[in-house]
Amino acid sequence: MVYSFSIGGFQLFITIAIFIPFLAAILVPFIYKWMPSRKIGWFVLFVPLTLFIILASFIPSVAKGGTYIHTMRWIDSAGINFTTYLDGLSMIFGLLITGVGTLVILYSIYYLSEREALGRFYVYLLMFMGAMLGVVFSDNMMVLYVFWELTSISSFLLIAFWYHRKQSRYGAQKSMLITVSGGVAMLAGFIMLQTLTGSFSVREVIATIGQYTDDTLFLLAMLLVLLGAFTKSAQFPFHIWLPDAMEAPTPVSAYLHSATMVKAGIYLVARFTPVFGGEAVWFYAVSCVGLFTLFWGSFNAVKQTDLKALLAYSTVSQLGLIMSLFGLGSAALNGGYSADSVIYTQATFAALFHLVNHSTFKGALFMVVGIVDHEAGTRDIRRLGGLMSLMPVTFTIALIGSFSMAGLPPFNGFLSKEMFFESMLIIRELDLFSMGSWGALFPVIAWIASVFTFVYSMIIVFKTFLGEHQPDRLDRPVHEAPIGMLIAPSILGLLVVGIFFFPNMVGHYVLQPAMAAVYPPFAGAEGMVPHISAWHGFNYAPLQLTLGVIVVGVLLYLSLRYWRGVYTIAPMRWSLDGLYNGLLLQTERFTTVLTRFYMTGHLRDYLVYIFTFFILVVGGGLVLTGSFAFDFSNDAPITINEYVLVFVMIGAGISILFVKSRMTAIILNSVLGYAVALFFIVFRAPDLALTQIIVETVTTALFLLCFYFLPDWKREIASRSTKIINAVIAIAVGAIVTILALTVQGNKLFESISVYFEDSYALAGGKNIVNTILGDFRAFDTMLEVVVLFIAGLGVFTLIKLKARKGGQDVEDQ
């Protein structure tokens, strides 16, 4: 059911919810001036907390199948309107954005020092929060893209918050380049979808795309949209930006890189599964890229010695797990709804469930790592150890989060990991897309990746909190974190345990409506939302796989020092990071050489480039289109007065080239201007003539005033070849402009626009056409011109005042 819009209704709130963080961000700098720096966080905390509570009130109605739509007209002519859409899928992400955002801000109040630029930090964080809400609530693809790129911009600012650090600037630049490039590709895909369907609305595209799947643009649009999703969600090989983004403050990492920004790509895949799902390319691209990302991230996480770097690669791995499940689940849409295909939807259910679980345990782990860094002064695993007795609460939260990530009971990660294994086993039976024996590789790779996941989860717990304490290798004595810093990760830890014992509450009220959004044809189908259970018996294949993961994982962890050398086999320059750095370096070198080639510092060279481009493009266009067609039959006869004026202008223009005095050159230049004014008089345009005379007089006076202070005009010494090139370019440009003017004059494809303006009195109440055009028809342009003059005047006034003030100071100094 769709609830119709009413003023003051819930529909309007969805639109307002996007703008509330932006409005709060505008207020933060003003409040920060008179509020103690630490207390500004409490003001900001109120924003996501309020949004979360109100969004939570939508859960009962959305769980019953309700959706909320609100449209604000924007650019009707282009089909771009600000349409917000709340359904089960956007509800999950909205709750994560606001819920985890509330806990992250609460955590940051105690984590960040008062010496930090907290006002700027919270402005960036609120900007990002609003942008993410805009992404998940937008129905119009163009609006979605605007917010999509705004998440990249705001995350860039957050990652580079400590901009005095070289690595922070590097990580911010890297994430910006990769995610924005993917976003531009996604934009091209959106435009192609609009070209196919005639609409930018995601809902309308889903409803009509079925008749366009054979079009060549369909496949290209699919690949471009996936490129945007893969770059944002850190899928291989674009994952390299995420580890470097860990230079951001820990609250940023906990928010952006565990629960929100990296999930934007996941959201895009889920939202567009009804559009592209069921296609073999989509199935293989999403599932295979996700599965390899899962393996690659978990494999590389084991070798990390920095806790945040380890969590970064673990995030890459977990995102790959979720992405692969969405790919497998898309198989259910092949050929439409059938009772047999419903079984494949369980992969998507597992993806959504693990999406929620990952946000809880990974957010808690990021906060734990921040606490360890805050209290011990380091995140280096080699310097840590034996912290369990010193930080018992932190250790407990780390244990819960790590064991949940490893897929152990009694934590929520165990439930979704079991469903992940089950989906991988089911896919072996898929007889679509020529799977054959390839399907057997899916559970094998998934199992191997899960073993490495178990290993790095154990590293977090045992290497950090157990073993021998090394106080001599730490910067400060270690003690438990303040209670305020422990509240947020403790809440997330309780959710990890609570979801394990009450998973079907999440399944019924949150996951079920999201499944209906991903699979519109299957809405209400039996078996699409399975009952979540922690125990299925010892003969349950996923449980056996989990036991195998535990056994092999323990053995690999205990023998880690013996096989860790495999990570040093390949040189660093062969890595993807090395490839990125090399490409960036070569690009900088190329652009430096190119810039030095055309930025010579000589005005003559710049004019040569401009005019040569003009000759090639305009002249070439005239030749290729065969537009050399002149028609003088309707032209008025040329009088003797006009001939005289033309020859005067020609003589003045040529004479300027040979004079030796600035004064003479200025006078000859003014002759050209006054001759144009005389032409206006001949053509019976006295208002234009008067304007031209005034402008020419003022310009000439200013030239004379300014040139008085310039040195004598020295004759330019140039080689014969330079003079020949100058002459050729000048003659060619003049000829092309003349030919272009004659061509336009002799070929009228449309009725002159002057016919419309002749009725200026009836249209705008002005008897003078020129004045009416300036004051009414192009009033906005005129206003901008006035603004430009106003800004220039302010600049001149400021320079004069600064000069006067500096002169006064010099007098005082003397």
Side-chain angles (χ1 to χ4, degrees):
M1 59 188 292
V2 177
Y3 294 90
S4 60
F5 168 74
S6 61
I7 298 298
F10 283 155
Q11 295 88 339
L12 183 60
F13 167 76
I14 304 304
T15 301
I16 295 175
I18 298 174
F19 292 105
I20 286 178
F22 291 110
L23 294 175
I26 295 174
L27 294 176
V28 164
F30 301 100
I31 298 175
Y32 187 66
K33 289 183 178 180
W34 57 268
M35 179 180 287
S37 57
R38 186 175 290 277
K39 291 185 178 180
I40 189 67
W42 295 105
F43 165 76
V44 176
L45 178 67
F46 179 75
V47 176
L49 179 60
T50 304
L51 293 177
F52 177 79
I53 293 172
I54 298 177
L55 273 176
S57 67
F58 285 78
I59 293 177
S61 59
V62 173
K64 296 176 182 178
T67 58
Y68 296 86
I69 306 169
H70 177 239
T71 299
M72 292 173 57
R73 297 178 61 185
W74 190 14
I75 312 175
D76 283 340
S77 59
I80 303 175
N81 293 310
F82 198 99
T83 301
T84 53
Y85 182 61
L86 176 67
D87 61 357
L89 184 62
S90 54
M91 171 65 80
I92 289 182
F93 287 88
L95 291 173
L96 289 177
I97 293 165
T98 54
V100 178
T102 301
L103 296 177
V104 165
I105 292 173
L106 176 62
Y107 175 80
S108 68
I109 292 173
Y110 297 95
Y111 179 84
L112 294 174
S113 169
E114 293 185 4
R115 296 187 299 271
E116 302 283 1
L118 296 180
R120 177 162 53 86
F121 174 81
Y122 287 120
V123 167
Y124 298 161
L125 200 65
L126 288 169
M127 283 175 54
F128 177 81
M129 185 181 299
M132 276 301 304
L133 289 173
V135 167
V136 301
F137 289 149
S138 294
D139 176 64
N140 191 283
M141 291 184 287
M142 290 295 101
V143 179
L144 188 154
Y145 170 73
V146 171
F147 285 117
W148 181 278
E149 296 296 31
L150 190 55
T151 62
S152 296
I153 295 171
S154 52
S155 67
F156 169 85
L157 297 171
L158 285 167
I159 296 169
F161 178 70
W162 288 324
Y163 57 86
H164 55 279
R165 300 180 181 179
K166 181 179 179 181
Q167 286 302 112
S168 295
R169 299 194 303 271
Y170 173 78
Q173 180 199 53
K174 196 174 188 178
S175 66
M176 183 81 158
L177 288 175
I178 294 175
T179 58
V180 168
S181 299
V184 173
M186 183 189 73
L187 172 63
F190 286 169
I191 294 173
M192 291 179 184
L193 286 177
Q194 193 277 338
T195 303
L196 288 174
T197 63
S199 174
F200 280 120
S201 169
V202 177
R203 292 175 297 111
E204 294 177 6
V205 169
I206 292 173
T208 59
I209 195 63
Q211 54 189 310
Y212 303 106
T213 54
D214 294 331
D215 196 291
T216 54
L217 281 181
F218 178 79
L219 177 60
L220 189 55
M222 177 198 302
L223 296 176
L224 291 172
V225 169
L226 280 179
L227 190 59
F230 289 164
T231 52
K232 187 75 81 172
S233 59
Q235 298 298 295
F236 184 91
F238 309 108
H239 67 283
I240 56 175
W241 68 265
L242 187 57
D244 290 291
M246 291 301 141
E247 291 296 325
T250 298
V252 175
S253 300
Y255 192 42
L256 272 66
H257 307 137
S258 69
T260 51
M261 177 180 171
V262 290
K263 302 288 176 62
I266 301 293
Y267 169 79
L268 192 72
V269 169
R271 179 60 77 191
F272 280 85
T273 291
V275 178
F276 302 112
E279 298 293 325
V281 175
W282 178 271
F283 172 84
Y284 277 114
V286 178
S287 58
C288 292
V289 169
L291 200 59
F292 189 80
T293 303
L294 165 64
F295 165 75
W296 191 252
S298 62
F299 177 71
N300 282 278
V302 175
K303 73 174 182 178
Q304 305 303 317
T305 57
D306 183 287
L307 281 173
K308 274 187 86 172
L310 190 155
L311 288 182
Y313 279 100
S314 74
T315 300
V316 170
S317 175
Q318 298 295 306
L319 291 172
L321 184 153
I322 299 170
M323 187 69 75
S324 66
L325 286 172
F326 275 114
L328 299 183
S330 68
L333 292 171
N334 184 272
Y337 169 77
S338 67
D340 295 333
S341 62
V342 172
I343 190 173
Y344 301 119
T345 64
Q346 294 185 20
T348 299
F349 185 87
L352 293 169
F353 191 29
H354 198 72
L355 177 80
V356 175
N357 294 339
H358 176 259
S359 296
T360 56
F361 65 68
K362 187 56 67 66
L365 285 173
F366 268 114
M367 293 181 186
V368 164
V369 169
I371 290 172
V372 171
D373 187 21
H374 190 273
E375 301 303 323
T378 182
R379 301 191 305 259
D380 193 334
I381 298 173
R382 296 165 297 185
R383 299 170 60 188
L384 297 171
L387 302 182
M388 180 179 67
S389 59
L390 301 173
M391 309 175 71
V393 179
T394 303
F395 164 72
T396 303
I397 301 171
L399 184 72
I400 293 172
S402 298
F403 280 20
S404 180
M405 184 163 59
L408 302 178
F411 310 110
N412 58 2
F414 169 76
L415 300 176
S416 51
K417 183 63 75 68
E418 295 287 278
M419 299 178 71
F420 166 66
F421 282 147
E422 184 176 9
S423 300
M424 289 295 165
L425 293 173
I426 289 175
I427 208 64
R428 295 181 305 170
E429 306 169 6
L430 183 66
D431 57 357
L432 300 173
F433 311 131
S434 304
M435 282 288 287
S437 58
W438 290 105
L441 290 177
F442 280 64
V444 172
I445 298 174
W447 185 84
I448 295 173
S450 297
V451 170
F452 286 111
T453 300
F454 182 90
V455 173
Y456 68 66
S457 298
M458 297 307 104
I459 289 175
I460 295 174
V461 176
F462 296 112
K463 294 289 187 181
T464 305
F465 294 95
L466 298 181
E468 182 183 354
H469 183 48
Q470 308 175 75
D472 56 317
R473 304 190 67 181
L474 301 179
D475 297 334
R476 59 182 75 109
V478 180
H479 55 78
E480 186 59 271
I483 185 65
M485 201 180 297
L486 293 169
I487 295 175
S490 297
I491 293 174
L492 290 172
L494 290 174
L495 285 174
V496 170
V497 178
I499 292 175
F500 174 83
F501 289 104
F502 305 99
N504 290 294
M505 291 184 61
V506 177
H508 176 71
Y509 288 103
V510 179
L511 304 182
Q512 181 175 345
M515 289 290 288
V518 178
Y519 297 106
F522 294 6
E526 185 178 354
M528 192 172 70
V529 180
H531 179 78
I532 307 174
S533 176
W535 178 250
H536 299 84
F538 285 109
N539 294 327
Y540 186 52
L543 177 61
Q544 296 172 357
L545 290 176
T546 298
L547 293 175
V549 166
I550 295 173
V551 172
V552 178
V554 169
L555 293 175
L556 287 179
Y557 174 76
L558 295 176
S559 60
L560 184 61
R561 64 172 180 237
Y562 299 109
W563 61 270
R564 204 167 191 170
V566 299
Y567 292 104
T568 61
I569 294 176
M572 283 297 296
R573 65 177 181 273
W574 291 358
S575 65
L576 289 171
D577 279 297
L579 178 63
Y580 168 84
N581 293 330
L583 180 62
L584 198 63
L585 180 62
Q586 293 302 321
T587 302
E588 291 177 354
R589 288 176 178 174
F590 172 75
T591 53
T592 300
V593 173
L594 181 63
T595 303
R596 288 175 178 173
F597 171 74
Y598 68 83
M599 293 296 292
T600 62
H602 298 288
L603 181 60
R604 183 258 178 189
D605 294 338
Y606 302 149
L607 293 175
V608 167
Y609 299 147
I610 294 171
F611 289 144
T612 302
F613 180 80
F614 175 79
I615 293 169
L616 294 176
V617 174
V618 179
L622 290 173
V623 173
L624 294 176
T625 58
S627 299
F628 293 107
F630 308 134
D631 184 8
F632 303 110
S633 59
N634 295 323
D635 292 350
I638 303 176
T639 64
I640 186 63
N641 296 331
E642 295 164 356
Y643 276 116
V644 171
L645 288 175
V646 168
F647 283 114
V648 167
M649 294 179 68
I650 293 174
I654 296 176
S655 300
I656 292 177
L657 301 176
F658 300 98
V659 296
K660 301 179 181 180
S661 168
R662 294 185 189 273
M663 179 74 70
T664 307
I666 294 171
I667 293 174
L668 289 173
N669 186 66
S670 66
V671 168
L672 292 171
Y674 286 120
V676 172
L678 291 175
F679 263 116
F680 287 145
I681 295 174
V682 172
F683 295 146
R684 295 184 296 280
D687 49 352
L688 294 179
L690 180 61
T691 303
Q692 176 69 18
I693 291 173
I694 293 174
V695 170
E696 194 62 42
T697 302
V698 172
T699 303
T700 303
L702 289 175
F703 276 176
L704 291 172
L705 179 63
C706 295
F707 283 13
Y708 173 79
F709 297 97
L710 295 178
D712 294 337
W713 195 344
K714 296 181 179 179
R715 187 174 184 83
E716 182 180 0
I717 301 175
S719 63
R720 181 180 296 273
S721 60
T722 301
K723 293 180 179 179
I724 293 174
I725 293 174
N726 292 346
V728 170
I729 292 176
I731 294 172
V733 170
I736 290 175
V737 171
T738 303
I739 293 171
L740 186 63
L742 294 175
T743 302
V744 172
Q745 175 68 20
N747 295 272
K748 293 186 177 181
L749 302 178
F750 306 98
E751 185 180 8
S752 175
I753 196 173
S754 62
V755 177
Y756 173 82
F757 290 117
E758 285 175 358
D759 200 18
S760 62
Y761 185 74
L763 292 171
K767 295 183 178 180
N768 187 298
I769 295 179
V770 175
N771 293 343
T772 305
I773 292 173
L774 294 175
D776 289 272
F777 295 112
R778 56 184 294 269
F780 190 68
D781 185 39
T782 303
M783 183 191 72
L784 293 179
E785 291 175 354
V786 173
V787 170
V788 170
L789 291 174
F790 176 72
I791 294 173
L794 283 179
V796 173
F797 175 78
T798 303
L799 291 174
I800 293 173
K801 296 293 288 184
L802 288 175
K803 182 178 181 181
R805 185 180 302 173
K806 183 178 179 181
Q809 291 175 349
D810 292 342
V811 171
E812 292 177 2
D813 294 340
Q814 293 174 1

